[in-house]
Amino acid sequence: MASTSDIRNGLCIKYNHDIYKIIEFLHVKPGKGPAFVRTKLKSLTSGKVLDNTFSAGHKIEDVRVETHTYQFLYAEGDDFHFMNTESFEQITLQKNILDNPDLLKEGTNVMVQVNTETDLPLSVDMPASIILEVMYAEPGIKGNTATNATKSATVETGATVNVPLFINEGDKIKIDTASGNYMERVKE
């Protein structure tokens, strides 16, 4: 058993007969009344996100997890196939377990958290950013860099990302995997 002082991002807990991963948390100590911890929890079975408040000192049941490095092989409908980089064992995960599956490129290494009691995969942590090539974008016009105007572009994985007007087809861009937003153009 853990308490609210052990809460951190990425911690997996049992709550309401389900397993949740803590996405965000904030320790709040108001001037009047007891302290509490405001959390944002994501269900690892359904993918739903809910807000919850734990009072300070509240006991929470944590889930023992191990983290392994897996390589993304290919997608087949809603099934995503991964291979353990150490044992070469392959697993298949559903699309709803992944946070941003449209940005996953074949050959990308991800961290998979596995429940040690049941050996079932709980969540997939993608790298913080990923570099993808723009496959389709409206042509850019010289001088369109001063405004914050954006256009949509399709990257090699099929995802659509809003990019600045100066991005053209064939450019490589860095995308934040947590939000799915454009970060910068990459020159090679």
Side-chain angles (χ1 to χ4, degrees):
M1 283 292 230
S3 70
T4 53
S5 61
D6 299 321
I7 288 179
R8 65 186 185 285
N9 286 342
L11 179 71
C12 295
I13 63 170
K14 285 183 183 173
Y15 178 72
N16 281 354
H17 310 294
D18 198 359
I19 296 178
Y20 288 89
K21 181 178 180 182
I22 296 175
I23 301 172
E24 291 178 16
F25 73 97
L26 179 66
H27 286 279
V28 180
K29 201 171 179 184
K32 189 176 185 182
F36 57 91
V37 180
R38 194 175 289 136
T39 61
K40 194 173 271 192
L41 306 170
K42 180 179 181 181
S43 171
L44 297 177
T45 54
S46 65
K48 291 183 182 176
V49 176
L50 62 101
D51 293 321
N52 189 41
T53 302
F54 295 105
S55 57
H58 182 86
K59 297 290 182 201
I60 53 175
E61 191 175 350
D62 59 337
V63 178
R64 279 189 39 87
V65 295
E66 289 180 351
T67 304
H68 299 285
T69 304
Y70 281 79
Q71 184 180 34
F72 174 59
L73 298 176
Y74 62 94
E76 190 175 46
D78 282 350
D79 294 337
F80 284 71
H81 299 272
F82 295 89
M83 178 185 66
N84 189 325
T85 57
E86 296 165 9
S87 67
F88 304 108
E89 171 186 323
Q90 292 188 16
I91 59 170
T92 303
L93 300 176
Q94 294 296 312
K95 187 176 188 173
N96 63 353
I97 290 182
L98 303 165
D99 290 334
N100 228 335
D102 296 340
L103 297 177
L104 207 51
K105 181 180 174 183
E106 293 177 2
T108 303
N109 285 342
V110 296
M111 302 304 281
V112 178
Q113 292 183 334
V114 179
N115 187 343
T116 56
E117 296 170 13
T118 60
D119 283 336
L120 292 174
L122 295 176
S123 70
V124 177
D125 294 330
M126 293 178 60
S129 63
I130 191 163
I131 297 172
L132 297 172
E133 185 177 342
V134 176
M135 299 312 279
Y136 174 76
E138 295 292 326
I141 301 168
K142 192 169 186 169
N144 272 345
T145 58
T147 63
N148 284 339
T150 60
K151 62 182 178 183
S152 63
T154 305
V155 294
E156 60 187 293
T157 59
T160 304
V161 179
N162 285 334
V163 297
L165 297 174
F166 58 84
I167 298 294
N168 296 313
E169 287 180 23
D171 287 350
K172 291 193 183 294
I173 58 173
K174 186 186 268 191
I175 302 169
D176 179 17
T177 55
S179 63
N181 294 332
Y182 165 87
M183 292 172 71
E184 64 184 355
R185 178 168 51 181
V186 178
K187 294 185 179 177
E188 293 182 348

